[in-house]
Amino acid sequence: MKQAKGGYLVKKYNFTILIEKDEDGGYIATVPELKGCHTQGDTIAEIMANVDEAIKLCLEVHVKDGIQVFNPNFIEAKQFELVI
């Protein structure tokens, strides 16, 4: 954590977001680092705003209620290229 302007402590997080198209043409996003952190939206812009809100809510539950929201089983997302 570092101290920001005004004396507030801030912590920077980087999360992986998996986005898939759903059956109705909308989008579903999952944050694998956070247990149960999913959201949906009709556009990519909407899904990104919803992901921001979902992550903040998960972290709020973690801080205020002491609930472990971080997924210890998630290692990383990788891209894999295969040429055949």
Side-chain angles (χ1 to χ4, degrees):
M1 284 194 214
K2 65 179 183 174
Q3 194 157 354
K5 243 182 181 178
Y8 293 102
L9 291 178
V10 294
K11 186 170 184 178
K12 181 179 178 179
Y13 293 95
N14 288 303
F15 292 106
T16 302
I17 302 166
L18 306 175
I19 301 173
E20 300 177 73
K21 208 131 167 84
D22 71 11
E23 320 171 326
D24 300 324
Y27 299 93
I28 299 170
T30 304
V31 183
E33 290 99 334
L34 299 172
K35 295 183 216 173
C37 190
H38 315 286
T39 190
Q40 60 187 37
D42 293 329
T43 65
I44 294 293
E46 182 180 3
I47 197 104
M48 294 310 294
N50 292 349
V51 163
D52 181 76
E53 181 180 1
I55 289 171
K56 287 176 181 172
L57 288 171
C58 284
L59 294 176
E60 182 179 318
V61 165
H62 177 70
V63 171
K64 286 187 177 178
D65 301 331
I67 296 172
Q68 182 52 264
V69 296
F70 290 94
N71 180 0
N73 297 320
F74 179 76
I75 305 300
E76 67 181 303
K78 288 191 168 273
Q79 292 288 316
F80 181 79
E81 182 177 336
L82 176 65
V83 179
I84 53 174

